[in-house]
Amino acid sequence: AAQQVGRTEAVVVIDIPSSYDVDEAGSRINPQVSMPVILINPEITEASKTTATLEEGCLSFPDLSAPISRAEEITLKYLDIQGQPQNIRVKQFLARAVQHELDHLNGVLLVDRMSPLKKIAMAGQLKRMKKSTQEQLAEE
């Protein structure tokens, strides 16, 4: 983490497969973005009122997914790898991925975005994951 070495940058690296960034006609949805995209100190400056609710998973919670509502388009400001200020507008899956990763930077996890009903339905699975994690930490 940047804080451990006296830095305050927040960094996200996103590399989505090209097949996730095409429309029905096969055209790129976000042609202005080359993968992987590196976002330093990213900040969403605008989000569309139009949202989409899709099943979302997370590497932090393997085998767990939930319907999550997110803005379909967002505008970001960030620094690129050369430290130059950038602004981009991204759509659909890439916008979802950016929002998911910015949640992580802000301490928000997938389970924090789940509906109360989904949390109740997954209570047993979440408890087992918590217990397993605690046991692994105790071994270290």
Side-chain angles (χ1 to χ4, degrees), residues 9 27 35-36 41-42 51 54 59 61 74 77 97 106 118-120 127-128 134 140:
E9 291 86 2
S27 299
M35 293 296 151
N41 296 336
T51 61
L54 297 171
L59 293 173
F61 298 95
I74 57 171
K77 70 176 185 177
N106 294 314
K118 185 70 171 181
K119 284 182 189 175
I120 291 168
K127 283 181 186 175
R128 284 189 298 278
Q134 289 172 332
E140 293 179 359

Short mmCIF file of all heavy atoms in Angstrom, two decimals, residues 9 27 35-36 41-42 51 54 59 61 74 77 97 106 118-120 127-128 134 140:
data_model
loop_
_atom_site.label_atom_id
_atom_site.label_comp_id
_atom_site.label_asym_id
_atom_site.label_seq_id
_atom_site.Cartn_x
_atom_site.Cartn_y
_atom_site.Cartn_z
N GLU A 9 -0.77 8.11 -2.91
CA GLU A 9 -1.50 7.81 -4.14
C GLU A 9 -2.47 6.66 -3.94
O GLU A 9 -2.19 5.71 -3.22
CB GLU A 9 -0.55 7.46 -5.29
CG GLU A 9 0.28 8.60 -5.80
CD GLU A 9 1.56 8.81 -5.03
OE1 GLU A 9 1.85 8.03 -4.09
OE2 GLU A 9 2.27 9.76 -5.35
N SER A 27 -18.65 -3.03 -32.28
CA SER A 27 -17.87 -1.78 -32.17
C SER A 27 -17.47 -1.55 -30.71
O SER A 27 -18.23 -1.86 -29.79
CB SER A 27 -18.69 -0.59 -32.64
OG SER A 27 -19.06 -0.75 -33.99
N MET A 35 -6.21 -0.84 -22.82
CA MET A 35 -6.01 -1.71 -21.66
C MET A 35 -4.55 -2.12 -21.56
O MET A 35 -3.93 -2.34 -22.58
CB MET A 35 -6.89 -2.95 -21.76
CG MET A 35 -8.36 -2.67 -21.67
SD MET A 35 -8.80 -2.01 -20.07
CE MET A 35 -10.22 -1.03 -20.53
N PRO A 36 -3.99 -2.28 -20.39
CA PRO A 36 -4.64 -1.95 -19.12
C PRO A 36 -4.68 -0.44 -18.93
O PRO A 36 -3.82 0.28 -19.42
CB PRO A 36 -3.74 -2.61 -18.08
CG PRO A 36 -2.39 -2.64 -18.72
CD PRO A 36 -2.63 -2.80 -20.20
N ASN A 41 -5.06 8.28 -8.26
CA ASN A 41 -5.96 9.21 -7.56
C ASN A 41 -7.25 9.46 -8.34
O ASN A 41 -7.65 10.61 -8.55
CB ASN A 41 -5.25 10.54 -7.25
CG ASN A 41 -4.10 10.36 -6.29
OD1 ASN A 41 -4.06 9.41 -5.52
ND2 ASN A 41 -3.14 11.26 -6.34
N PRO A 42 -7.91 8.39 -8.78
CA PRO A 42 -9.12 8.57 -9.59
C PRO A 42 -10.27 9.13 -8.76
O PRO A 42 -10.39 8.85 -7.56
CB PRO A 42 -9.44 7.15 -10.06
CG PRO A 42 -8.86 6.27 -9.00
CD PRO A 42 -7.63 6.98 -8.50
N THR A 51 -29.00 3.89 -14.52
CA THR A 51 -28.25 2.84 -13.85
C THR A 51 -28.62 1.48 -14.45
O THR A 51 -29.62 1.35 -15.15
CB THR A 51 -28.55 2.82 -12.33
OG1 THR A 51 -29.95 2.56 -12.14
CG2 THR A 51 -28.16 4.13 -11.67
N LEU A 54 -26.77 -5.40 -12.36
CA LEU A 54 -26.21 -6.62 -12.92
C LEU A 54 -25.57 -7.45 -11.82
O LEU A 54 -25.16 -6.92 -10.78
CB LEU A 54 -25.15 -6.30 -13.98
CG LEU A 54 -25.63 -5.53 -15.21
CD1 LEU A 54 -24.44 -5.10 -16.05
CD2 LEU A 54 -26.59 -6.37 -16.03
N LEU A 59 -13.07 -10.58 -6.29
CA LEU A 59 -12.00 -11.49 -5.90
C LEU A 59 -11.88 -11.59 -4.38
O LEU A 59 -11.40 -12.60 -3.86
CB LEU A 59 -10.66 -11.02 -6.49
CG LEU A 59 -10.55 -11.10 -8.01
CD1 LEU A 59 -9.25 -10.46 -8.47
CD2 LEU A 59 -10.66 -12.52 -8.49
N PHE A 61 -14.28 -11.93 -2.38
CA PHE A 61 -15.31 -12.86 -1.93
C PHE A 61 -15.56 -13.92 -3.00
O PHE A 61 -16.57 -13.87 -3.71
CB PHE A 61 -16.63 -12.11 -1.62
CG PHE A 61 -16.50 -11.11 -0.53
CD1 PHE A 61 -16.25 -9.77 -0.82
CD2 PHE A 61 -16.62 -11.49 0.80
CE1 PHE A 61 -16.12 -8.83 0.20
CE2 PHE A 61 -16.49 -10.56 1.82
CZ PHE A 61 -16.23 -9.22 1.53
N ILE A 74 -19.85 7.10 -16.42
CA ILE A 74 -19.22 7.99 -15.45
C ILE A 74 -18.13 8.81 -16.12
O ILE A 74 -17.56 8.39 -17.12
CB ILE A 74 -18.62 7.21 -14.25
CG1 ILE A 74 -17.60 6.18 -14.72
CG2 ILE A 74 -19.72 6.58 -13.40
CD1 ILE A 74 -16.80 5.52 -13.61
N LYS A 77 -11.76 11.96 -13.32
CA LYS A 77 -10.49 12.68 -13.45
C LYS A 77 -9.47 11.85 -12.69
O LYS A 77 -9.79 11.20 -11.68
CB LYS A 77 -10.59 14.11 -12.95
CG LYS A 77 -10.73 14.28 -11.47
CD LYS A 77 -10.73 15.76 -11.12
CE LYS A 77 -10.75 15.94 -9.61
NZ LYS A 77 -10.69 17.35 -9.23
N ALA A 97 -16.66 -1.57 -13.76
CA ALA A 97 -15.38 -2.01 -13.20
C ALA A 97 -14.70 -0.87 -12.45
O ALA A 97 -14.17 -1.06 -11.35
CB ALA A 97 -14.47 -2.55 -14.31
N ASN A 106 -12.16 3.24 -1.43
CA ASN A 106 -12.91 3.97 -0.41
C ASN A 106 -13.40 3.07 0.72
O ASN A 106 -14.23 3.49 1.54
CB ASN A 106 -14.08 4.70 -1.06
CG ASN A 106 -13.61 5.79 -1.99
OD1 ASN A 106 -12.72 6.57 -1.65
ND2 ASN A 106 -14.17 5.85 -3.18
N LYS A 118 -30.61 -9.77 0.20
CA LYS A 118 -29.53 -10.62 -0.30
C LYS A 118 -28.57 -10.98 0.83
O LYS A 118 -28.11 -12.12 0.92
CB LYS A 118 -28.77 -9.90 -1.44
CG LYS A 118 -27.71 -10.73 -2.11
CD LYS A 118 -28.30 -11.84 -2.93
CE LYS A 118 -27.22 -12.53 -3.76
NZ LYS A 118 -27.74 -13.59 -4.58
N LYS A 119 -28.28 -10.03 1.72
CA LYS A 119 -27.41 -10.32 2.86
C LYS A 119 -28.02 -11.40 3.76
O LYS A 119 -27.32 -12.29 4.23
CB LYS A 119 -27.16 -9.06 3.69
CG LYS A 119 -26.18 -8.11 3.06
CD LYS A 119 -25.97 -6.90 3.96
CE LYS A 119 -25.16 -5.84 3.26
NZ LYS A 119 -25.03 -4.63 4.05
N ILE A 120 -29.33 -11.31 3.97
CA ILE A 120 -30.01 -12.32 4.79
C ILE A 120 -29.93 -13.68 4.11
O ILE A 120 -29.62 -14.69 4.74
CB ILE A 120 -31.48 -11.92 5.06
CG1 ILE A 120 -31.52 -10.71 6.00
CG2 ILE A 120 -32.27 -13.09 5.64
CD1 ILE A 120 -32.88 -10.05 6.11
N LYS A 127 -21.01 -16.00 6.99
CA LYS A 127 -20.46 -16.43 8.29
C LYS A 127 -19.36 -17.46 8.09
O LYS A 127 -18.32 -17.42 8.77
CB LYS A 127 -21.57 -17.00 9.17
CG LYS A 127 -22.44 -15.95 9.80
CD LYS A 127 -23.51 -16.59 10.68
CE LYS A 127 -24.46 -15.50 11.19
NZ LYS A 127 -25.57 -16.07 11.95
N ARG A 128 -19.56 -18.41 7.16
CA ARG A 128 -18.53 -19.42 6.89
C ARG A 128 -17.25 -18.76 6.34
O ARG A 128 -16.15 -19.13 6.72
CB ARG A 128 -19.04 -20.48 5.93
CG ARG A 128 -19.99 -21.48 6.58
CD ARG A 128 -20.33 -22.64 5.67
NE ARG A 128 -21.01 -22.25 4.45
CZ ARG A 128 -22.32 -22.01 4.34
NH1 ARG A 128 -23.10 -22.13 5.40
NH2 ARG A 128 -22.86 -21.66 3.20
N GLN A 134 -10.82 -15.85 9.56
CA GLN A 134 -10.28 -15.72 10.92
C GLN A 134 -9.34 -16.87 11.25
O GLN A 134 -8.29 -16.66 11.85
CB GLN A 134 -11.41 -15.63 11.94
CG GLN A 134 -12.15 -14.31 11.87
CD GLN A 134 -13.40 -14.27 12.73
OE1 GLN A 134 -14.03 -15.30 12.99
NE2 GLN A 134 -13.77 -13.07 13.16
N GLU A 140 -1.34 -17.58 10.78
CA GLU A 140 -0.18 -16.80 10.30
C GLU A 140 0.61 -16.21 11.40
O GLU A 140 0.76 -16.07 12.40
CB GLU A 140 -0.63 -15.67 9.38
CG GLU A 140 -1.18 -16.21 8.10
CD GLU A 140 -1.67 -15.11 7.16
OE1 GLU A 140 -1.60 -13.92 7.51
OE2 GLU A 140 -2.12 -15.45 6.07
#
